[in-house]
Every structure is written in C-alpha cells, then in structure tokens.
Amino acid sequence: MAEPLVARSALRPHVAPHASAAGAHGVTLREVENLTLASVAALRGREAELVQAVRAAYGLDLPTGPARVASGKVAFVGAGPGKWLAVSSAPTEFSTLPAAVADQSDGRTVLRVSGPKARETLATLIQLDLHPRTFGPGDAAMTHAASIAVHLWQVDDAPTYEIATFRTFAATLWRWIVEAGQARGLDARAED
Amino acid sequence: MSQPNRLASGGLIDRTRPLAFTFDGRTYSGHPGDTLASALLANGVTLVGRSFKYHRPRGVLTAGSEEPNALVELRTGARREPNVKATVAELYAGLEASSQNRFPSLAFDLLAVNQLASPVFVAGFYYKTFMWPAKLWEKLYEPLIRRAAGLGRAAEAADPDPYEKTTAHCDVLVIGGGPAGLAAALAAGRTGARVILADEDFALGGRLIAERRELGGQSAARWADEAEAELANLPEVTVLRRTSVLGAYDGGVYGAVERVSDHLREPAPHQPRQRFWRIVAKRAVLAAGALERPIAFGGNDTPGVMFAGAVRAYLNRYGVAPGRRAVVYANNDDAARTVADLNAAGCELVAVVDARGDSPALHAAARTAGALLVFGGAVARAYGGQSVKGCEIVDARGGSFNVACDLVAVSGGWNPTIHLTTHLGGRPQWRDDLAAFAPGGTPPGMTVVGAAAGAFGLGEALAAGAQAGAEAANDCGFSGGTFDPPRADDDSGETRGLGPWRVPAKRGKAFVDFQNDVTVKDVELAAREGFRSVEHLKRYTTLGMATDQGKTANVLGLALMAEITGRSIPATGLTLTRPPFTPVALGALGGAHRAKEFKPTRLPPSHFWAEEQGAVFVETGLWMRAAYFPRAGETDWLETTIREVETVRTKVGVYDASTLGKIDVQGADAGAFLDHVYINTFSTMPIGKARYGLMLREDGIAMDDGTVARLGETHYYVTTSTAHAASVMRHLEYCRQWLFPHLDVHLSSITDQWAKYAIAGPRSRDVVAALADDGFDVSDAGLPYLGVKELTVCGGTRARLFRLSFSGEMAFELAVPARYGDALIRAIMAAGEPFGICPYGAEALSVMRIEKGHAAAAELNGQTTAADLGLGGMMSKKKDCIGKVLSQREGLADPARPRLVGFKPVDRSQRLRGGAHFVPRGAAVTAANDEGYMTSVAYSPSNGCWVGLGFLARGQERIGEIVRAVDPVRDGDVEVEVVAPVFVDPEGVRVRG
C-alpha cells in the first residue's frame, strides 16, 4: 500500500516570500492553517431548522447579515442571503447540518493580517472602509482584494482581520500583502 | 555670491543648508524649500527651455502647476522624466535636470529657424501642408514633425520604482490647502469628522505663504504653520501634501496622486515613488484658488515676462528676485501688491502700466515705489530674445517709448480654478462682476469656496472656508467643535481684470497658449477660416490641448475669439476640462499590480512538483499549467509531446486536471435545475454515474461542456472547462437566483477544494489499484466506465474516483482534498513507476483530445451550436432547456451550416494549420467559396501525420471528399481529406473494459 499522504500548504517561500522588518512590526501576516471550513446554505423551507441545529450544536445564532458570530472554536460568517462560511479551528463535521454543506477546508486559504498598520496595508488592496467607525470586530464582507475575490472578517481591535480566499489565489494575495506591507513594518512568515 | 538673485533675507527656505544641483550639466546651488524654478531664478538662470513648435526661448511664467513654459527633463537613465514643471519640482541634493526640445544647446538652438518659417507654421499647418503625396506621411512627414516639434523624451528603460494604489474614505475632503482650505479643514476637523486635506504643493498655505499678509496679528505664513500643526494633531484628519486631486467621479469618488518620493533622489527602500489615492468622500470642499492669466502682447513669452502673482511668490516664499529692474503691467489692483513687494525687496520699479484709467491702488503703489506710472496704456512688446532687456510701452494717447528692464510682471486678471467642478458635467458660468468663469454646477456633495468660487479676498475666503467645512461636517453628523477664522488685513481694490486681452500688434509674436505655441494670429486665422466655435478653435489651433490643458490660455483664447467675432464671451462658448487636472504617470494608475503581478497567478496542486521535474509551463487564463515535461536528450516540445502521447496510449500517464471548474450542486431540485441548464437530462441519471453535458447560451449557441456526476439523491458534482469556470459559475448563479428562484438548489465553487489527477492509459487501473486502500474494487465491475465512487487512498485519505476519459484511453480521475495534492502526484508517480508512467502536460492532452475529436475552446468558440459540434442528438426532446428554442431558429438549424469533421492531409507529410479556410478543389479562393475553417490541429503520433478538426459546410455528408485548406496569411494551401472526427479507436473500445 502507498505511503500516507502529507498535507501541505499552498504557500511556499518561493511564491509567498517571508519578510521581517527590523524594529516594531506595523503589520503581521500569517496563514491560519488546519481550519475546518464549509460553505453552508439553508435549504428551501428548512431555514428555521438550520438555525435550531446550529444553536443546538454550536451554541450560536446564525448571523443574518455580513457578520461573524463565534462560539468557542466555531464561527459562522455571513456569505450572502441564506449562506454562511462555517469556520472551526478544530476538526468539525459540518456536513451533518440540515443544509447544503460543501467542504471548503482545502478550497480556501485563510490569511490573518493584524497590527497598527493592518488597515493601511489592506487599503492598498481592499476598497471597503475598514475604519473602526464603520467596520469592527464581528463585521464581515465579501469583496475583492485588487482582482482577487476574498471573504473578510475582523476578529479583534488590534486590529486583526482574517481573509479567506480561494486556495490557488492565496500565494498571489500573500505577495500583494507583502508588497504593500514592506514599507509598513511587515512581519510575514509561517505560523510559529 | 553663488546665487546672485537670492534676496538677503526672507523666504521659507533653509538657508543653512545648501543643495547642489545641475541644469544642463552646470552645477548650481539652492536650498531646501526651493523649487527647481526658484533655485534657477536665484542663480540668475532665466532661459529654461525651448517652445514646442517655434523653439522659442522660454523662461518661468508661473510659480505653480499651471506652468506652460519651464518644462524640463528631470533625472537621468531609467528615471528620466520628461515635461516636469520646474515650478513644482522640489529641489533635492543632486537633482539633475536638463532643458528640452533644443539642438544642440539651449542657448543656440538650430531649430529656432522654425521661427523664420513661421508664416507656414500657422494654425492648421499640418492639415494644409502635408496633403500630398499622402504616402509620404508615415515615412517622412510624421517622423520629421515629431523630431522638430515635441517636448521631452520618455525614459527608454523600464521604470525601476514601485507605485502604489490605495483607497481612503472620509467625511469631508478638502481640496487645496490655502486660506479657504485650511479654514475648512480646521472647521471640519475640530468636529471630529474624518477629514482629508490634499494640496499639490509640498508646503501648505497656498497664497498665504506667497504674500506678505497678516492674519490674526501674525504673518500669514506663520498662521498657516500653526494651522498645519493643529491639523496634524487631530486624530481623524489626514493631511496629504504633494497630492494633486486629479478628478471627480461618481459617488463622491475623487482620484488623487501623491508624489511620495518625487522630492527625493530615489525612493527609500519599499517606498513607492507615487501613490494613487481613490478617495471616497461624503462631502467635498473645493478650495483650489485661482490662476492668473496673461495679456497677449508682442514677445510676451520672452524669458523675464512673468505673472505678477508669481513674482510675489518668488520674492516672498523663496527669497528670490526674478529681476532687478521691473515693469508691472496689469488690468487689476491685485498687481499693486507686486509693485509693493518688488519695492520692499529693493528691486527697481521702472514703470507701472495700468491698462485701465486711474486706479487708486496701483497709483499709490507706483508712487511709493517711485515708478513711472502709465494709465490707460499697454506694454506693446517685450524684447531681448533669450531674456528681457526692455519693453515698449504705449501710452493712452498712442505714443510709445522703450524702457530697459529685466522683468515684466503681467496680470491679465484671475481665473477661479474650477476644473474639478466640470468633471461631472458642471457648466461654468461667466460672471461679469469677476470677468471670469465661476463654478456653475458642481459634483454632488461639493462646495466651492474662496478664490475658486470667485471670492478673491482673504477675509471672505477664510470665512467661506470655515463655514463650508463646518456645514460639510454637520451634514455627516458632526458638530463638536467650532472654528472662528482670524481677522485678515484689509482687502481692498479691484481684482476684476476685464481686458484688454491683447495689445494691437506691433512687432513680435503675441502668445495665447505658450505650451502649444498658439498666437493671437492663429486665433485670428481660425476666425477668418470659419473655425469660430470654441470647439473648432481648440482643435484647429491646438489651443488648450497641451499637457497643461490650457490653464493659462483657454479664457484668453476664448476672449479673443469673442472680440474678433463681435460676440460676448459667454455667447462664444466655453471649454470644459476632463480629468486629470495635471498629467499623471501611467505607473501611478497601474500601481503595484503590473507585469507578472498584473493579475493573480493560480498554481495547481502539482505545481511545485512539476517545477522540480523541469516542466515547461504555459499560462492558461490565470492558471500556470505544465505544457510538457522534457527529458534529457529531447530537443523540442514536439518530441516531448509525442513521447508523452505514446506513453499514455501504450502504458500510462498522469495529468493534473485540477484546473477544470468544479461546482458542488445540492438541493431537492438539483436534478431539475441541471435539466434546465443542460441540453441533456441529469435528473434521471443514477447515483454513482457521470455523464458528458453541454449547456447553451440563451441564444442557442453552445456555451460550455463538461461532466456531471451524481454523488447522492440531491447532490451533483459539475465540472466545466478551465477557461469558462468563472463564467459558468456566474451563469448558474444567475439561473438559480433569477430564472429559477423557486427551485431548492445551492451552488458552491469547489474548484480549489479538490486536487484531481487524470490517470490514463492501458495500465491506469494498475496504478489506481496500487493507491486505493484495501477492499476497493477497481475492476470494470466495481467501477465501470462513467462510474463514480468515493474511497480512501494511501492509507485513509478520502478521495473521489471518476471513470472518465478525455484521452480516449482507459482512464480514471482521482481527486483528493487539495492539501494532499502535492503528495498524491508523488504517490501516483511512485505507484506508476513499475508500469512506465510519465506525467503529461497540456500539449499532449490537446493532441489526444483532437485525436478523439473532443470539442474544446477552439470549437466552443461562441459561434457554434450543438448540431454544429455533432452533439445535436444529445438534445433531449422530452424537456426544455436554456437555449433550446432559439437553437431551432432558421439560421441555426440550417443543415448547410458548417459541421465538425476531421481532416487529414492528402499528402500525409504535409502540415496543417489552424485557421485555414476550406475551399472546394478547383474553386477560386474567394469569400464566396468559403466553406468553413480549421479550428484545431495536431501532429498525431497515432496516425503518423497531422490531423485537424474543423467546421465544414455539410461536413458530415462529405466524408471522403477532398477539399483545399487555404491559409493566405501563412501562404498555406493543402489538400485535405474529410474524415470522421475521431482518429483513434473510433469504436470507443479502449475506454471500457
């Protein structure tokens, strides 16, 4: 029998280079690995059932707009009317929910961008207003970073943003964030 | 003293730090705070460039971004930048500038003979002169004209500096950092609103730092300093210096360019040279000030003729005397300040010429300065060639006399800087009380204040700015702080400057548009020849069409046309301006995403492994795909491709098929939904089966093909072509949301979720068997052709296995979650080694699909129907689908349409070419005899000759016939035999079993 397969990130240093500025870091960039992700869509006529099932299984109320609601290791991020991206930092079987569920654990790569210059760095790619008066922890958006489709949400006031993108676009998005971050005290490398 | 015209004191320059720079190779010295223009003037350099058409000597006319004359090449090598305005180029140590449009040198320019020939270089010259023989245009006339006319040279090497684009959002955008803009920014900023203040200058203050004025009991420059300091401390205020707001767009969006590093020798590491800002503002306050305008008199372009307001800027801001013996010629009282400032700086005032009658302000200033005062007179002509040596003054009675001078300060009045108000169609209004155009309509949310609104007084500018800033912030829900503008010293006097626009011709050219060398005579000629509409005037004479967009020229040109044709100025018309307000580098518009980073690059899961194998890659849309995998000793792509095809057909090969679009379709109505979008039926397909499908556009033309697998009762898996993945997803979402909202169906793109490898060839089953975990039956009974199963491979990795073939061989598509894709390709290669496996790339794939007659992008080209593709039989008669009705239109259902068939060269050694057109043997090669075209060709190792696919009229009825494949572009003319579009295993035996 063949050897077990080894999981690997879509990012390698030669296509997603590391960078670490001297001194205080204005912005840090990391890949968030080992997430369980799934796209979840409410089935017609069974919307309430899904709300109940999510509440029962994860102790959270599904957000109804562009928002992220988290409880423990599980979060649901609004992805359009009746659609969510389910995110868990632990192995989680979302496919048992009464919904159309598609595994996206490998379909998306999630990048975490944080630090005092995170907003300024992302402004070179994302045209939304991320000022704290209009976008804060728990807010989410489906938008684009230059020409790359992204699903973005804010985690905390650091500020920390997480950006989910299609896996095969992740190396390019990484490079573009690095390009913008280098003048802003960037620290970009693999998770410690 | 190294800077002979630097005043002993004054100016906002740092005299303690000398900055060495060169102009045309000579070294000079200036100070921080200088522009290139002020530093050149301080060094007594007045000749700065040669003009566009006549190569006339030109100096410095203005002190701002409207400068039409003092254009230079800045920097050298790859950073060389043409047409930089010396008046805004900030001085830095080691700056290298050179003059433009001169040969061999600035002082001695051979092409200045163009002036002698100027009678032929009048308006419309190109249209009239180079008419015949027309064939000489490209080879002779145009290159000659381009060498003789024109300005700087672009750098020949790629720009080495990075650029950046960014987006900013604010409540209030204040455009211009002069008195009105500072007041607006302070008033808005103190409320707590998010404010952006942008000014194109490197120092804030506008006219405050160019004048000797007092504000609130201190110097105006000092007040501007304090205002800037306060703005810097307001957390929600962003001050963007060196930032030109270039355009106003829909939705409160403004474009601006920040010259981040233009004032440095080269950008600091990782810093962009320029940053393009997309500013989204709820409200905007336009405080862009006003631009002075010239008076057309003979030799008014001679170096040393300068706007009166610019003279004050050089005196007061830069501590530079642009001349020592001055004549001031004006039609308004503003120039009285120039008289006073020149006098205060110790310059001699030779004469003050007021075009009007007796005016108290100019009168008083002239008397204080001890200048000869001429009322109702004119400067008829400035003379001196490369620098002003004197001028001829005409008095009110018509007598004339000459005076010696080295500076003529001119003011023909002021034009409010209203450009941004016109970008969304606002039409300026002529105001007789101003003798100028003032804003008509403005973009939504914009307020215009200060001189830009025609309020030229300092006190009224401050008051209007403060009010507009507060109101704009209030509109956005902020009302926290207040700002009371300081008291300004007295504004009195007449700023309205209504003519004369020109001085009756004496000798010498009188320029209207300096940058494009348009003279009064050109305007007169245009009028005589009937080009009286202002739009015709502009195009016939090129008035206002230079890179300065006629900032100093347009109103004068319009006024002259009005005068010549006996109409009023508003009746004559107006010209609107377009973005950008000042020229913008394409690099700034491109930003960081250029060259290889212009678009994202998608890397399939096997990419890093393929790199290790030395694969040659090809860009397919955004994807980087392996085209072929050369081995040592192979000399070209064809040799490698042939080896890869033969390996697949005789042993086994592996291909990364992950780039195909993959869509997860779920819901109770998933099957019904697919029946709507495909011509064939999927709702009745058994679970665990896959089938080829074709979808049509609404108009009946084939859109895309792929396979559909049924994974469960309400769960399907759709694949699309690589090229159309995004558009098919978009189409299906549109169908789901708008056409069939009643259906319970949900789509999710899973293209990136799965790494999928096609394992193809007679030994493919052996390879799959070696990978599948124990207990999985890979036999034909366990997984027949078109079967689909879930399984685990390599000790527990969940996978999906599809018995599908694109190559025509027995084949499997094995998919695992993408994170295992790299490991799986290595595992497949290891498992396949005993069977002689090789990886194959897009080239071999293409050869094999042509050999099997499978349609791809060349056939699904937006012009072909299912019937054309030979797939008409797939169209279900039991149901409707998108495109079905329109596919039965007369034209599309015409049996004479070209149909997909195969072709082989009659002489098997001949090569086929895609794009060749089919013509019957013996018929003339004319469009009328065109019977179709070749879409795809390949060298077929299996046939030992080139084979092709193409569309031939009634092709399916003409198997065995011989036609010509004519390729006039490449001189190809090959006789080809029409064959069935399957060149390998026509019975389809190999895929089964």
Side-chain angles (χ1 to χ4, degrees), chain B residues 51-121:
Chain B
S51 73
F52 180 70
K53 193 158 76 172
Y54 300 126
H55 293 251
R56 304 229 335 161
R58 289 285 167 83
V60 176
L61 183 69
T62 75
S65 67
E66 72 275 27
E67 176 63 32
N69 281 346
L71 309 181
V72 299
E73 282 179 1
L74 202 59
R75 301 184 167 86
T76 56
R79 289 194 169 87
R80 187 176 70 205
E81 191 182 349
N83 305 338
V84 173
K85 299 172 193 80
T87 48
V88 296
E90 199 172 338
L91 198 67
Y92 55 85
L95 177 148
E96 293 175 272
S98 46
S99 56
Q100 308 184 146
N101 203 30
R102 61 1 183 213
F103 177 83
S105 74
L106 183 56
F108 180 71
D109 181 357
L110 285 174
L111 287 168
V113 298
N114 280 5
Q115 289 190 71
L116 302 179
S118 64
V120 302
F121 285 152

Side-chain angles (χ1 to χ4, degrees), chain A residues 4 8 14 39 42 44 101 103-104 106-107 123 127 129 131 133 166-169 172 175-176 182 184, chain B residues 164-167 169 192 194 236 270 597 601-602 611 666 741 744 746 748-749 752-753 794 798 819:
Chain A
R8 300 200 68 172
H14 75 287
S39 53
R44 173 169 288 270
V101 178
D103 187 9
Q104 297 288 3
D106 297 72
Q127 301 196 341
D129 189 3
H131 189 277
R133 287 181 186 168
F166 291 112
R167 177 186 171 98
T168 56
F169 287 87
T172 301
R175 286 197 302 279
W176 290 357
Q182 286 210 312
R184 299 177 170 93
Chain B
E164 185 171 279
K165 279 205 284 198
T166 195
T167 298
H169 298 258
R194 295 164 67 191
E236 296 298 344
H270 305 304
E597 300 293 354
T601 302
R602 302 179 74 178
E611 279 182 329
Q666 296 187 46
D744 179 39
H746 307 277
S748 188
S749 170
D752 288 27
Q753 166 69 20
C794 302
R798 68 195 176 90
R819 70 184 68 183

